[in-house]
Amino acid sequence: MQSHHQSTNIAKLPYAKGAAHNDWLRRHEDHCLKDTRVELRKQIMDWCDDPNSKCIFWLNGMAGTGKSTISRTISRGLAEKKRLAASFFFTRGKKDVSHSGMFFTTIAAQLAISFPVLRTSISDAIDNNAHIFEQGPREQWNQLILNPLKNAPTQSIQLVVVIDALDECDNMADIQLILQLLEEAKDLETVRIKIFITSRPEIPVFDGFRHLSGEAYQDFILHDIPLDTVNADISTFFLQMLSPLKAKHGLGTPWPDEQTIEQLVERAAGLFIYAATTLRFIRDGIDGPEKQLSLVLSAAKSSLSATEHLDGIYTTLLQHSFLGKRGKQECEQLARRFRQVVGSIVVMFNIMPARNLAQLLQIPFEMVSGTLDSLRSVLNIPENESQAVRLFHLSFRDFLQDSQRCSDSRFQIDEKERHTSLFRRCMSHISQLQENICDLWGPGVLITEIPNDTIQKCIPPHVQYACRYWLDHWQLGNPVEEDIKTIREFLEQHFLHWLEGLSLIGEVSNGAHVLIALEKILSVSCDAH
């Protein structure tokens, strides 16, 4: 009975979907090849094993240098040794993993699984504070993690928490608070927790570490590794990953030759994301690997910087794979569709399958799937239509949103325009909500009594997205007075229907935040008149 009660309590912990290194959503993401990053991985594992090493290891590096691949590899190695306490991979703009709201509860839930002796303490903390899930990070850290670790039965053990892309957390103050709290782990004596953190060298993260004591952490600057070492790893990557294409397509030997590999490595300029994107372009392109490889080599010049090389490969694959040799009018039409479909994926707050995206955008599924099919070098498009489409790497998002980097204006994504368009699509969907949308059998029915498939049928994923994020898109867009009028009409006609929908999908707490924001927005609008 006690074990069942503890399991029930642990299951109550709010859990960020997609946070863990081995989450289903991350199953196709890369790991380091056996013969790459050898010295760095050894240094990190030595830090994990050394009882006298500092509590936090901060690996920082520029976009595209392979931080997340290293994090996944380290996480998997630690899990195999039963040393991984928890992992949390932040991703900007992707619902639960874009903010810190579920960070500590997710860590606590994973910790209770990886270290069962803590279950009793974590469960007791939930029993003793029924509101712990709604309280701030400090209370959650102390009650759900730090105190259980302090009070654990005497057992000398070292566990590791992996936190990837901390800079992708959407609140600067939260980043710094997380670091302040994690520093307290250095004083644990029996059950030691070490924290491996990766991030870009962003100011909020730098400031957060600057306020920690020097005894708490050590850092490693990824892009300061000698270029010869990085180039050797990228060369190994190209050799190992291109080799299977030679047999599959009956290509001559040697293919690619040593000079070609050297050219590819030179163009990568230390960026693993360039190597990974180039590989997918060569492997999955419509013209076969030889032609695709020649396009890569002809598009890049050795005098360019690392970022310019990456931008070059992005431009090449968009112009060649997406537009091809079509006429001007057809290319313009395809480019508009690209900005609508891919632009939406870039700015949306949560990923979704292509069919649901088509429903959200109110365009034919064939139009969405046709747009995505030629972009497999930069988008992860699952064979299973029920699984979500997502970007392989956030550098592609950065490229599309930066007019200085995306030199072909046909592919530039106007973030405000996309948010405004998505707001209007969301309003169209939630304005169709109605009373008792799930045709429930009576008042006072518990959510747990309603079959999930009933909710999914009556409030499909694209409508759930609209219920949750319509105001977020409005706030980040460039709305006009007519949009405010639409909001007012919606509130007059469908406010209670919307609240009912939020309740059914378990998002009432987010609805409260929306109401607070709405009050300010509408009051300002009234004052303006």
Side-chain angles (χ1 to χ4, degrees), residues 227 263-271 274 295-316 404-405 407:
L227 187 58
Q263 286 179 285
L264 290 174
V265 171
E266 181 182 12
R267 284 154 175 74
L271 293 183
Y274 176 95
L295 285 169
V296 171
L297 296 178
S298 63
K301 299 178 181 178
S302 60
S303 61
L304 300 178
S305 69
T307 301
E308 289 171 327
H309 278 302
L310 181 60
D311 296 346
I313 190 65
Y314 283 149
T315 301
T316 297
Q404 298 300 312
R405 294 179 57 188
S407 58

Side-chain angles (χ1 to χ4, degrees), residues 40 44 78 80 139 179 295 298 312 336 344 386 399 403 477 503 517:
L40 176 57
I44 296 169
L78 290 167
E80 290 172 353
E139 289 76 13
L179 291 174
L295 285 169
S298 63
R336 284 195 298 270
S344 296
S386 66
F399 163 76
S403 60
S503 176

